[in-house]
Amino acid sequence: MAAAERRAFAHKINRTVAAEVRKQVSREHSGSPHSSRRSSSSLGVPLTEVVEPLDFEDILLSRPPDVEPGPLRDLIEFPADDLELLRQPRESRTTEPGVPEDGKLDAQARAAVEMYTEDWVIVHRKYQYLSAAYSPVTPETQRERQKGLTRQVFEQDASGDERSGPEDPDDSRRSSASPEDTPRSSGASGIFDLRNLAADSLLPSLLERAAPEDVDRRNEALRRQHRPRALLTLYPAPDEEEAVERSSHPEPPREHFGQRILVKCLSLKFEIEIEPIFGILALYDVREKKKISENFYFDLNSDSMKGLLRAHGTCPAISTLARSAIFSVTYPSPDVFLVIKLEKVLQQGDISECCEPYMVMKEVDAAKNKEKLEKLRLAAEQFCTRLGRYRMPFAWTAVHLANIVSSAGQSERDSSDSEGERRPAWTERRRRAPQDRASSGDDACSFSSFRPATLTVTNFFKQEAERLSDEDLFKFLADMRRPSSLLRRLRPVTAQLKIDISPAPENPHFCLSPELLHVKPYPDPRARPTKEILEFPAREVYAPHTCYRNLLYVYPHCLNFSSRQGSVRNLAVRIQYMAGEDPSQALPVIFGKSSCSEFTREAFTPVVYHNKSPEFYEEFKLQLPACVTENHHLLFTFFHISCQPRPGTALETPVGFTWIPLLQHGRLRSGPFCLPVSVDQPPPSYSVLTPDVALPGMRWVDGHKGVFSVELTAASSVHPQDPHLDKFFTLVHVLEEGAFPFRLKDSVLSEGTVEQELRAGLASLRLASPEPLVAFSHRVLDKLVHLVVRPPVIGGQMVNLGRGAFEAMAHVVSLVHRSLEAGQDGRAHCPLLAAYVHYAFRLPGTESSLPGGAPPVTVQAATLAHGSSRPTSLYLARSKSISSSNPDLAVAPGSVDDEVSRILANKGVDRSHSWVNSAYAPGGSKAVLRRAPPFCGAEPRQLLHEELALQWVVSGSAVREAVLQHAWFFFQLMVKSMALHLLLGQRLDTPRKLRFPARFLDDIVALVGSVGLEIITRVHKDAELAERLNASLAFFLSDLLSLADRTFVFSLVRNHYKQVTTRLQSAPNPAALLTLRMDFTRILCSHEHYVTLNLPCCPLSPPASPSPSVSSTTSQGSTFSSQAPDPKVTSMFELSRPFRQQHFLAGLLLTELALALEPEAEGASVLHKKAIGAVHSLLCSHDTDPRFAEPAVKARVAELYLPLLSLARDTLPRLHDFAEGPGQRSRLASMLDSDTEGEGDIGGTISPSVALAIAGGPLAPGSRASLSQGPSPASRGGCPLSAESSRTLLACVLWVLKSSEPTLLHRWAADLGLPQLGRFLDLLYLCLAAFEYKGKKAFERINSLTFKKSLDMKARLEEAILGTIGARQEMVRRSRERSPFGNQENVRWRKSITHWRQTSDRVDK
C-alpha cells in the first residue's frame, strides 16, 4: 500500500545510494583501461592462449538448419551445392582435332593424344567468388558502387561560395543569377528585393503537441531515408598491399605465341618476265645467329608463267596458294631480319649467267630487245618443260624489321606512290645516323604495336654458288647493318616486291596452323588462306605443350663429292620418309611448298650448276606418323641432273645413297649428322642399321667417310628430345604394356631389372634439360602421380615407388619453378604448375567416373543431419600417435605440447593397424615400401593425398627442403586429390568425421606441425621463405575447412597458434612472428563461409566457470539499473571464453587486434595497420556479400564483431585526435583517464567527474570538456595509432553499430558502468570528429599539405642522393621519428616521463 501511495514521479528516481556509486567508481578506478589484456582474468583465459573450440560437427548435428527461421537458415551450414565437379572442354584453336586417327599408336603417341584431347577436370567451390580472396574490394569496385549514390550538397559549401565576395572569380556569374537560384539560408539573398523572394512552405504541425516517443520514431524513420545500404562503400577501399589473402584462379594452359606480325606478299615484278619465280620468307636473328622461323613459300607468278609448269604439276592445294603469313617472335630485338630468297626453274648455266638478263635488260627497252626476249622465253619454256620439278638459287634480300617498327608511324605511306614506299633495309640503315640508331632502344623492338607499312623492295642480290649456307647469310646480314655496306658495291637484280607488314590481328580469319589445320574462325574454306609460321625461338621458351604436334625438319647442309668419279656435277638430293625398304613404302608426309599438292612422297634440294661440293639452304618439313617404328627411316638419294638433253642420257642418274633410322632404342633421333654415302643401292634389312656400319659388298664414297652433312630438328609434343625424359617415358610405357624383354640402349631389360632401371630413371629426372622438362611437365607429373596411385606389378608383386616418385616430383617442381622464376605471381607461385593442378590434374583410372558429355555435375554436399557421429575411439587413436602411418616419428615435428610429446615417446603403442613397420622407415631395408594388400583381382590403388602426406612427413632433409620451397604446390595437389576422392566416390554424404581415415589425419597433424616449426625457425634466417610457407599453410587449412572435419581443422589451427606463442617468449624479434600470425589469421578468415564457420546462429552459453567473471562482478552497479548485468550479453561484447570458443575464427582475429592494440606490443605501428586492415577487409566483404543483404542476417554477422566496441573504447586514449583547436582536444580523453597521474590511488582526490556521478547529476554534453581534462594520447603509455589506422578502426566501429541489433546494443549500454559509458560516448564523439564534413576549404588545405609533404620527400631524396646528409644524421632523424615523444629534447631527464625507464627495466629482466 505504501508503494501504491508513492507519487508517480518518485517511481523514476534512481534509488542507488551514494555508497554503491562510490564502490562502483572505486572498482572501475582501480585499474586503468590500458592495463594489459594478456593476463586479464576478466576474460577467463588470457588472450595469449588459444581456447579450445567447440565441436563444430556435433553442434550442427544437435542443431539442424530447420530451427532457424527465414534467411538465417543459410548461416547454419554450408550450402548443399558448395562443391561441384566440372568437366570443362579443352579449348581448341582449330576446327579439326588435329590428332592422328584411331589406329595403331605407339605408347608415346597414345599418351600424347590422351593428354592433349581430354577435358579439364575442375573442382569448383561454387561460393568461393564471394570471399575476400576472390572478390576483393578495390578502389575500382568502390567507385563502381559509389556511382549510384546521391550527390550531397552541403550548406557550408554553398554558403561559403556565396560569401566569398569579390575574390571569387565566379562572383560576376553568381551575382547575375536569378533569385530563385540563391539559397534562402545564404547571406547573399540580401542583394535582391525581399518582395520578390518566394515564401517558405508552412509547417502545419509545428505547434502541435506530440509524444517524445512519436518524435523519436519519426526522426528515426527520416534518418533511415536515402541511407546507403553498405556503409563502408563510403570509405576508401582496404590497402591492397596488405591483402595477403588475394587469390585468383590460373589461366588455362594455352599454346605459346610471341609477338605476332602479319606479312602480306602483294606483287613481284621484274624488268623482264620470261619464267616463273618462286619466293621464300623466313626470320633470322643475327645476334643469336639462328633462324627463328620456318620457311614460308609463296608464288606471285601470273597465270601465263604458271602455265609453263603445267606438265609437272597437279591441281594445287588451296593451302599452297597462301600469300600472307603470320610470324611469331618471342624475343624481339634490333637484330631480327626478314630474309627473302628467290628461286627459279633449273636451267643450263651457273647463277651469274642466269641473273645477267635481269640485271642488264630494262622494261623500257623491251622493243629494242624483242628478239633477245623471245629467245630467252623460248629457252625458259624448254627448261620448264624438261626440268620443271627442279629449282636453282636465284637472288635474295633482307628487310630490317627494327627499322620498319621504329619508323612505321612517322609518315603515312601510300602504296600507289613510289616516293612514299620503303626502300630495302640496307639503304634505310645507310641513311640513318648513329645517334638515331642508338636512340631507338627497346621500344623500337616491340613488334606488337606499330602502324602498318607497305614496302617496295627494289634491290635483290644474286646468290653466290659458294656462299649459300646460313653462316654466309649471317655475315651478309651483319654487313647490311653497317653504314658502308659492301653489298652496295654489288650490281643488284632489279625487281619490285611489294609487301605489307603489320601487327597480326588477335583472331585473323582464314588462317592455317603449322599443321595446315583450320584456325577458328574460318568462315569459308574456299578463301585464300593465311599461314601461321612456326617459330624457332632464339632462346629457351618455357611453356608446356597444349596441343598435338609432331613435326620433323630436315636441313641438308653440304655434300662433298669431289672424290667421286664420273659425271656428278649437277647434284640434287631427294628425301623420302620410308616406312619400309620397298620403294612403294614412301609415305606422303612431306609438306608441299607453293602451288603444288599439300603433301608429297619426295622432295628435292635446289641444284647448283656444275658443283661437285654444293651447299644447301633448303628446309624440308615432315609430319611424323603417330606410330614410329624401328623400320622408319629417312632415305637420301643423290642424283646427277642432266640439264642438256642428250640421246641415251637419263634426266636423273642416281650417284649415291644414305639413310637415317629415325628410332633408336625407342627414342626419336635428331641433331646434326655427318653421313657416309654409298655408291651402291642399300641391301635388304638396311633400315635397322645406321650407314656408319660398313656393310659387306658395298662401295662407299671417299672410303666410308662422312661426306653428307644434314641436321634433323623435331618440333614435337610427343617426343621429348631429352635423354632423361626419353628414358623415363620409355620405362613407364614398357611397364604399362608389359613388353618384356625390351632393349634400352645397350642393355636388355627383363622383369627382374626393370625396377632398378625405373628407380634410376626417376632419380635422373633432375638432370633433364629445363626447356623440354617444362614443355612435358604435365605428362611427367601425370606419370609420377600414376606411379604413386597405381604402383606397377612386376612378376606378380607390387613395387611401391612412392618414395622415388615423390622425390622426383619434388625435383621436377623445383626445376620448373626455377625456369619460370620471372613469371611467378606475387606469392611466388608458378602459373604453369598452378594451372596443372587446377585444370589438368586428375586421379588415374577415374575417367569413367567423370561426368562426360553432360552438363556440369553438381555433387551434393553432406548435410550431416543423416550421418552418425564419429566414434570416440577415433579421437583416442588420434591422441595416442601423431602419425599412425609411421611409428618411428617419436616426436611430432614442431610439437610444443608436453603431454603429446610424452605420448609420442611411448614405444608401446599398438601399431598393428599401421601399413608401415620399422623396416620401412627412412634408411630401412625397404625404405617406405608399404605392404601390398591382399590381391583381389583388381588393380592395386593408393590414395594420392595419403601418400603425399606420408612421404612428406618421412622425407629426408634434402627432399624436404625442396618440398618446403614450393609447399603450395603439394598442398594444392593434396587438396584436389581429397576433393576428387570425395566427389567421385560419392562420399560427400558421409559425415565429415568419417570422410578420411585416422592414419591420414594423424599424418596431417604431423605435417602441419612440421611446417609450422619450419616457419618459426626460419622467420629470422629466411624471412621470404617463412612468409611463403606461412601463406601456403594458411591456404591449405582454409581449403580443408571445405572438405574435412572442421573441428579437426580448428584443432590444427590451435596447435599452430600454440607453437607460435611458445616461440614468442624467446624470439629475438617477436614482431616478425606476430606479423606472420596475423597474415595466417587473415587468410583463414577469408574463407567464403567464414560467417558459418563462426556458428553465428548458436546462442552463447553462460561462462563455463562456476564463478562469474571479474568484469561481471565489477559491473554489478550499472549506470541505469541496480540489477546485475546479463552474463550472456556481457560475453557477447567481450573476448570471453564462450565467445572465443563459439566464434573461433572471429575470436582469433579480434584477439590479434586486441594484442596489437596493447600499449607494450612489439612493432606496434605495423601490427596496428595489419590487424585493423584485416578487420576492415572482412567488413567490406560482408557489406558487398549478397548473402548478408537482409538486415536480420547482417545483424547476426555483426554479432561476431561486438567485442570490437570494447576494444576501441579501451584504446581511445591512443587514437589519433581528429578534433580541431585546443578547446576540443581535451574532450577526446576518457573521463576516467583524467586521473592517470594518480592512478591506483583510490584514497586521493576525487575528480569532478566522479563527484558529479556520486551526486547523481546528469553528465551534460557541454560539461565533458571540463570534466575530461587529461594528457594527450602521445603522453600515455604505448605507441599511438596513426590517423589512418584510427580512422579505419572508427569506421569499423560505426559498421558494427549500424549493423547490430538495436535491442542488443541497448541492453549492453544499460549494463555499462558510468566510466565505461563515458568512454564509449567519447568514442562516438571521436567518430563524429573524424568523419565530420569540414567543407571544401578543408580538403584544399589537406591537398596542399599533401603536396608540401611530397616536396619535402623529394628534397630529402635529393639530399640522400647528393650526399648532403650523412648516415649518422639520417639515423638520428629516424630514431627521433620513431620515438613516441616526437622531437622532444632531453627526454631521459624528464622525471614526469618514465616510459624509457620502464622499458629498459623490462629488457634487463
Side-chain angles (χ1 to χ4, degrees), residues 35-47 1105 1107-1113 1134-1137:
S35 59
S36 176
R37 305 183 188 92
R38 295 177 183 270
S39 58
S40 174
S41 60
S42 64
L43 303 179
V45 178
L47 293 184
S1105 59
S1107 59
S1109 64
V1110 174
S1111 62
S1112 299
T1113 58
E1134 292 181 354
L1135 289 175
S1136 58
R1137 181 189 186 95

Side-chain angles (χ1 to χ4, degrees), residues 259-261 283 329 331-334 336 401-402 405 443-450 502-504:
Q259 298 182 13
R260 308 216 300 171
I261 58 174
L283 295 180
V329 184
Y331 300 106
S333 75
V336 176
L401 287 184
V405 173
D443 293 338
C445 304
S446 176
F447 299 157
S448 58
S449 59
F450 60 93
S502 62

Side-chain angles (χ1 to χ4, degrees), residues 53-97:
L54 301 179
D55 194 311
F56 192 96
E57 312 302 338
D58 287 349
I59 290 179
L60 292 188
L61 285 174
S62 63
R63 188 178 180 84
D66 299 337
V67 302
E68 287 294 340
L72 293 179
R73 188 179 297 117
D74 297 334
L75 297 182
I76 295 181
E77 173 58 303
F78 289 8
D81 57 349
D82 187 40
L83 279 183
E84 294 177 333
L85 185 60
L86 303 182
R87 185 166 184 171
Q88 178 178 321
R90 182 187 290 258
E91 181 182 353
S92 176
R93 296 183 61 246
T94 58
T95 57
E96 307 96 333

Side-chain angles (χ1 to χ4, degrees), residues 465-466 558-563 568-569 571 611-615:
E466 306 298 331
C558 61
L559 175 67
N560 185 4
F561 267 17
S562 58
S563 61
V568 285
R569 293 182 296 176
L571 293 172
N611 193 332
K612 301 183 70 172
S613 301
E615 293 180 339

